[in-house]
């Protein structure tokens, strides 16, 4: 649809282990098949989502590769034509004229001892609708629906030898709001905590066997919003062969 995107980045070394990074970029997302599955509100054409964003961050990386690393990033996005759905209109989709997201993210990783890697990230997000009103779901000044204000993610991976790898991670979502069409008002969604585990076994001749368990505790709190149930406890087994 004639969309053109671009990205401009800049990095500057502040020392042997510390660097400053900045980026300005544009992006867009065309409507997907599921966005069009139930039709559009008022049979209007569903336009692609568009975004212009900026990031500014600091990155610390130890002189020994992988020993310690830390990133701190502040970001802001100006959004146009976000795609949302209207449950009261048979889940037809429509575009939100304008919105804004901004926040900070702190992430890091380390190898405190041989064979052990720990990692984590924390994101604080602030969102705001800039349009006067859209579909009665939100008005200017209110937050966007289903975006968590805080996300925490921590995990660890243990590699006792060249053949085995064991890992686990926990994710926590807090501060989400959705629109309850039965009540006709915005409501707070419950916090959600999910746990995932994985095991990898290296085999000969470039082969690898993996076992992954998602949502170990069978968390039922919706990860997205009302009407979207959490993925139940699931087990995946896979085999990879490198040639």
């Amino acid at each position: 649809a004639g969309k053109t995107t671009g990205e401009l980045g800049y990095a500057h070394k502040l020392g042997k282990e510390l660097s400053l990074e900045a980026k300005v970029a544009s992006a867009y997302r065309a409507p997907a098949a599921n966005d069009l599955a139930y039709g559009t509100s008022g049979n209007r054409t569903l336009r692609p989502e568009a975004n212009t964003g900026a990031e500014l961050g600091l990155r610390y990386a130890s002189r020994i590769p992988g020993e310690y690393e830390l990133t701190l990033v502040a970001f802001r996005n100006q959004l146009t034509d976000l795609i949302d759905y209207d449950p009261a209109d048979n889940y037809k989709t429509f575009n939100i004229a304008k919105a804004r997201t901004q926040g900070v993210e702190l992430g890091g990783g380390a190898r405190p001892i041989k064979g052990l890697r720990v990692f984590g990230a924390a994101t604080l997000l602030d969102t705001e609708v800039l349009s006067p009103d859209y579909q009665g779901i939100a008005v200017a000044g209110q937050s966007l629906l289903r975006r968590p204000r805080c996300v925490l993610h921590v995990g660890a991976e243990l590699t006792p030898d060249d053949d085995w790898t064991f890992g686990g991670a926990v994710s926590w979502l807090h501060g989400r709001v959705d629109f309850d069409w039965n009540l006709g008002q915005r409501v707070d969604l419950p916090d959600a905590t999910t746990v995932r585990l994985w095991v990898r076994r290296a085999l000969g001749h470039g082969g690898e066997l993996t076992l992954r368990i998602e949502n170990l505790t069978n968390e039922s709190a919706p990860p997205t919003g009302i009407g979207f149930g959490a993925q139940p406890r699931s087990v995946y087994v896979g085999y990879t062969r490198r040639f």
Side-chain angles (χ1 to χ4, degrees):
K3 288 286 186 180
T4 300
T5 62
E7 177 179 319
L8 178 64
Y10 172 79
H12 178 70
K13 281 281 190 180
L14 301 177
K16 293 183 178 180
E17 300 178 330
L18 185 65
S19 61
L20 173 70
E21 299 180 2
K23 182 176 73 171
V24 177
S26 61
Y28 83 101
R29 182 182 76 86
N34 61 303
D35 295 325
L36 304 170
Y38 297 99
T40 62
S41 181
N43 291 321
R44 293 186 295 270
T45 300
L46 200 62
R47 297 181 300 276
E49 295 181 346
N51 170 40
T52 300
E55 298 180 4
L56 180 64
L58 291 172
R59 179 184 299 275
Y60 170 84
S62 63
R63 298 180 185 180
I64 301 176
E67 183 184 25
Y68 296 104
E69 59 183 11
L70 189 68
T71 58
L72 176 63
V73 178
F75 59 89
R76 182 182 177 92
N77 298 290
Q78 295 294 130
L79 308 164
T80 304
D81 291 331
L82 278 177
I83 298 172
D84 210 331
Y85 65 93
D86 187 351
D89 190 18
N90 298 316
Y91 291 91
K92 293 182 178 180
T93 47
F94 60 95
N95 290 106
I96 301 169
K98 293 182 179 181
R100 184 265 306 151
T101 66
Q102 61 185 12
V104 294
E105 181 171 277
L106 175 66
R111 297 183 183 273
I113 59 175
K114 184 179 179 181
L116 176 64
R117 181 175 70 94
V118 295
F119 53 89
T123 304
L124 297 178
L125 179 67
D126 175 65
T127 68
E128 182 181 4
V129 175
L130 302 179
S131 304
D133 176 71
Y134 72 94
Q135 306 293 100
I137 296 174
V139 298
Q142 290 184 320
S143 63
L144 288 169
L145 301 180
R146 300 179 293 276
R147 272 78 168 179
R149 289 194 299 271
C150 179
V151 177
L152 299 179
H153 179 73
V154 294
E157 194 170 66
L158 178 65
T159 307
D161 53 43
D162 294 337
D163 295 330
W164 289 96
T165 299
F166 304 89
V170 178
S171 297
W172 179 68
L173 284 71
H174 169 74
R176 296 168 301 154
V177 176
D178 205 349
F179 194 89
D180 190 324
W181 290 97
N182 293 321
L183 299 176
Q185 65 185 34
R186 292 160 63 98
V187 297
D188 293 329
L189 293 176
D191 295 346
T193 303
T194 56
V195 180
R196 64 191 303 259
L197 302 176
W198 62 90
V199 179
R200 295 196 299 269
R201 172 73 162 98
L203 305 175
H205 307 291
E208 184 179 80
L209 188 65
T210 61
L211 170 68
R212 190 175 84 251
I213 303 175
E214 299 287 351
N215 197 4
L216 177 67
T217 60
N218 210 26
E219 167 69 73
S220 60
T224 303
I226 295 174
F228 294 86
Q231 176 190 10
R233 183 186 299 114
S234 307
V235 179
Y236 300 86
V237 177
Y239 174 76
T240 302
R241 177 68 183 273
R242 295 177 177 83
F243 297 96

